[in-house]
């Protein structure tokens, strides 16, 4: 049996961050990472389209927590200990400068996730963290004060164990054996599959500021909406998918959404259209795009309102005006299924948050067992927030273990 002071299960963002910070803060500890694949940091590699969306430029804890459908309440305290500014400083001290994009997402200036990976690998080597790849964990048992961890390649013992395996059902099963309860995982960030004449053949079109509601629920969101080959995506949809993860799973991803493409009421929109009927009388409706909408989307909504490409504003009757106002402010679409958002597979589910002490991220059920990252029932909307949760949890774990 190989003895270590600290074993970290999972060589992803949270696992590496915990390992490096433990070893740096207490060089006397023997720290090892057990990773089941042949290379670690896979999610870091693909995040943000290969650029690695490290965090988000939100510097007020109360505002930051609002991006976590699960974990909002629990993360408030931890974010007062380590948050966005600390993340930026941590990377900059190690030679990795970050930049803020218009939407608040933060990336390495190099625009490459490899910069983050190289930083972690260099730090791990510098502080003598042992990385053991192809070590799939088969069992975690507690014998007295020691953990015994059996992997596909051997047996380890440690005084303290950190689990940072993300959404891994096999590890969740092992944590159940140690007394934890698991909230069943469901997908959290996904796009909506929609087959509809009104969005057919216009993939890539973006409506910049829409309001989307799930019909017959309290779920709604706003922001950009992207039309794709399969349906709809972008922040307005992804936010709905995260905050509605459990409810939409119960509906088996078959439901109706109402889209307000112009964020105006039906009445205000109708008044504007009546004015346009006077002002643009001789022009065709099809060719006079309004409300700052993309031209191709306007064309589709016009044709869906019982008119053709030749219909002039002057010729619009009451029913056509109302139809167009409806399409613009309350278009109903049938969602039939979901697609994973890029490679960034995020789930709602994991270790019950009531079983964790959020001052230390230590298990309340098993002494000297710590958990960080998405192994917990915490998830966020897209934009660097899931990583910030990983850095915060891992840093607090490290600070407590290294004492």
């Amino acid at each position: 049996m190989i003895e270590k002071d600290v074993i970290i299960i999972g060589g992803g963002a949270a696992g590496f961050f915990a390992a490096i910070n433990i070893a740096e803060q207490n060089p006397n500890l023997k720290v090892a990472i057990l990773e089941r694949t042949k290379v670690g940091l896979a999610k870091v590699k693909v995040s943000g389209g290969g650029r690695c969306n490290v965090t988000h430029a939100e510097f007020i804890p109360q505002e930051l927590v609002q991006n976590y459908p699960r974990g909002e309440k629990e993360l408030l305290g931890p974010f007062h200990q380590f948050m966005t500014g600390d993340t930026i400083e941590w990377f900059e001290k190690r030679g990795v400068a970050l930049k803020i994009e218009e939407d608040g997402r933060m990336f390495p200036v190099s625009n490459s996730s490899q910069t983050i990976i190289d930083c972690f690998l260099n730090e791990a080597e510098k502080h003598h963290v042992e990385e053991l790849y192809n070590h799939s964990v088969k069992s975690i048992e507690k014998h007295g004060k020691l953990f015994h961890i059996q992997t596909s390649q051997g047996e380890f013992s440690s005084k303290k164990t950190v689990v940072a395996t993300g959404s891994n059902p096999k590890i969740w099963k092992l944590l159940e054996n140690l007394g934890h309860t698991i909230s069943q995982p469901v997908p959290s960030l996904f796009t909506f599959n929609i087959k509809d004449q009104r969005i057919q053949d216009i993939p890539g079109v973006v409506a910049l500021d829409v309001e989307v509601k799930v019909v017959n629920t309290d779920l709604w969101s706003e922001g950009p909406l992207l039309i794709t080959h399969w349906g709809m995506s972008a922040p307005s949809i992804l936010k709905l998918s995260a905050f509605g993860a459990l409810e939409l799973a119960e509906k088996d991803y078959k439901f109706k959404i109402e889209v307000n493409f112009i964020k105006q009421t039906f009445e205000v929109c109708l008044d504007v259209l009546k004015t346009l009927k006077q002002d643009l009388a001789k022009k065709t409706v099809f060719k006079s795009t309004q409300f700052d909408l993309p031209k191709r989307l306007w064309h589709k909504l016009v044709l869906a309102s019982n008119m053709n490409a030749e219909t002039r504003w002057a010729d619009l009757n009451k029913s056509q005006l109302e139809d167009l106002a409806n399409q613009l402010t309350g278009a109903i679409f049938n969602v039939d299924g979901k697609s994973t958002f890029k490679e960034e597979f995020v789930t709602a589910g994991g270790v019950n948050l009531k079983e964790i002490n959020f001052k230390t991220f230590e298990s309340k059920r098993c002494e000297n067992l710590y958990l960080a990252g998405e192994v917990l029932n915490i998830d966020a909307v897209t934009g660097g927030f899931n990583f910030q949760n990983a850095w915060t949890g891992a840093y607090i774990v490290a600070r407590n273990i290294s004492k």
Side-chain angles (χ1 to χ4, degrees):
M1 186 170 318
I2 300 164
E3 289 177 25
K4 298 286 173 194
D5 295 306
V6 186
I7 293 271
I8 287 158
I9 302 172
F16 261 89
F17 206 69
I20 292 162
N21 283 294
I22 292 166
E24 182 180 36
Q25 290 170 30
N26 188 341
N28 298 321
L29 295 175
K30 285 188 289 191
V31 181
I33 297 173
L34 302 176
E35 165 57 37
R36 68 191 166 105
T37 62
K38 58 177 188 285
V39 288
L41 301 165
K43 238 182 184 178
V44 171
K45 182 95 178 137
V46 300
S47 141
R51 296 195 297 144
C52 189
N53 185 182
V54 177
T55 185
H56 200 95
E58 176 50 76
F59 300 95
I60 300 162
Q62 287 79 353
E63 300 285 325
L64 185 59
V65 293
Q66 287 173 22
N67 295 286
Y68 298 83
R70 283 146 293 275
E72 178 180 349
K73 188 168 91 255
E74 291 80 5
L75 286 174
L76 188 57
F79 283 156
H80 277 94
Q81 293 185 53
F82 187 94
M83 75 172 261
T84 318
D86 305 296
T87 301
I88 297 165
E89 189 184 352
W90 192 95
F91 281 105
E92 291 200 331
K93 267 189 183 160
R94 290 156 185 82
V96 179
L98 302 180
K99 59 173 180 174
I100 303 174
E101 305 220 324
E102 265 179 46
D103 57 5
R105 292 182 304 161
M106 296 194 70
F107 294 90
V109 170
S110 67
N111 270 332
S112 168
S113 57
Q114 196 57 44
T115 308
I116 304 296
I117 293 170
D118 292 344
C119 169
F120 282 169
L121 295 176
N122 292 338
E123 289 293 313
E125 189 180 354
K126 182 170 143 192
H127 298 293
H128 310 294
V129 171
E130 199 176 347
E131 299 145 46
L132 300 165
Y133 296 105
N134 296 311
H135 276 266
S136 183
V137 171
K138 304 295 180 196
S139 68
I140 310 168
E141 290 172 1
K142 190 95 186 272
H143 296 279
K145 296 239 170 198
L146 289 180
F147 289 96
H148 287 192
I149 298 162
Q150 183 76 44
T151 78
S152 50
Q153 296 206 40
E155 204 171 331
F156 297 81
S157 75
S158 69
K159 299 184 187 89
K160 299 189 187 252
T161 295
V162 182
V163 180
T165 45
S167 307
N168 182 330
K170 284 182 180 154
I171 299 294
W172 281 331
K173 197 90 206 123
L174 301 183
L175 289 171
E176 278 184 323
N177 299 339
L178 292 170
H180 278 289
T181 44
I182 306 299
S183 304
Q184 277 319 300
V186 296
S188 169
L189 279 185
F190 49 87
T191 62
F192 294 176
N193 295 355
I194 299 169
K195 279 197 172 69
D196 193 295
Q197 224 26 64
R198 290 166 292 177
I199 59 169
Q200 211 178 335
D201 309 322
I202 56 167
V205 165
V206 177
L208 280 175
D209 195 16
V210 307
E211 194 173 271
V212 190
K213 293 176 184 162
V214 178
V215 176
N216 296 328
T217 72
D218 294 332
L219 295 169
W220 73 278
S221 80
E222 56 191 358
L225 182 143
L226 168 70
I227 291 164
T228 70
H229 289 284
W230 296 274
M232 292 179 181
S233 182
S236 62
I237 298 296
L238 295 168
K239 225 180 282 178
L240 267 190
S241 76
F243 280 91
L246 305 179
E247 214 170 320
L248 300 181
E250 277 171 19
K251 294 179 183 296
D252 198 23
Y253 308 104
K254 291 174 173 53
F255 52 92
K256 288 180 176 7
I257 56 169
E258 179 183 307
V259 182
N260 186 332
F261 286 106
I262 59 173
K263 282 174 84 173
Q264 305 269 6
T265 64
F266 171 82
E267 290 75 22
V268 168
C269 178
L270 190 58
D271 284 345
V272 173
L273 294 177
K274 283 175 181 167
T275 307
L276 292 168
K277 178 176 155 76
Q278 307 294 320
D279 296 351
L280 304 175
K282 291 190 172 141
K283 296 196 164 143
T284 65
V285 182
F286 188 82
K287 283 197 176 148
S288 24
T289 308
Q290 299 299 322
F291 303 104
D292 291 330
L293 281 180
K295 200 185 289 177
R296 291 193 293 161
L297 177 60
W298 172 262
H299 290 169
K300 289 281 191 180
L301 297 178
V302 166
L303 297 179
S305 308
N306 287 320
M307 51 185 107
N308 60 39
E310 305 309 318
T311 308
R312 295 181 319 154
W313 284 97
D315 302 331
L316 289 183
N317 60 34
K318 180 170 180 268
S319 149
Q320 287 168 315
L321 280 168
E322 286 176 355
D323 278 354
L324 183 53
N326 256 325
Q327 291 295 343
L328 290 164
T329 63
I332 303 287
F333 293 89
N334 286 312
V335 176
D336 185 12
K338 59 170 176 46
S339 297
T340 304
F341 174 62
K342 299 189 180 158
E343 302 89 345
E344 299 179 31
F345 190 68
V346 174
T347 57
V351 174
N352 187 323
L353 303 184
K354 290 189 170 67
E355 299 166 5
I356 302 297
N357 172 0
F358 279 93
K359 288 190 171 73
T360 59
F361 282 76
E362 185 179 4
S363 162
K364 291 178 182 174
R365 297 285 162 92
C366 181
E367 196 184 358
N368 290 326
L369 175 69
Y370 293 80
L371 299 102
E374 282 180 55
V375 68
L376 298 168
N377 186 18
I378 292 177
D379 62 288
V381 299
T382 179
F385 301 105
N386 280 303
F387 275 144
Q388 186 55 54
N389 165 46
W391 313 138
T392 295
Y395 190 85
I396 293 171
V397 164
R399 203 167 54 192
N400 283 278
I401 288 178
S402 60
K403 281 177 187 168

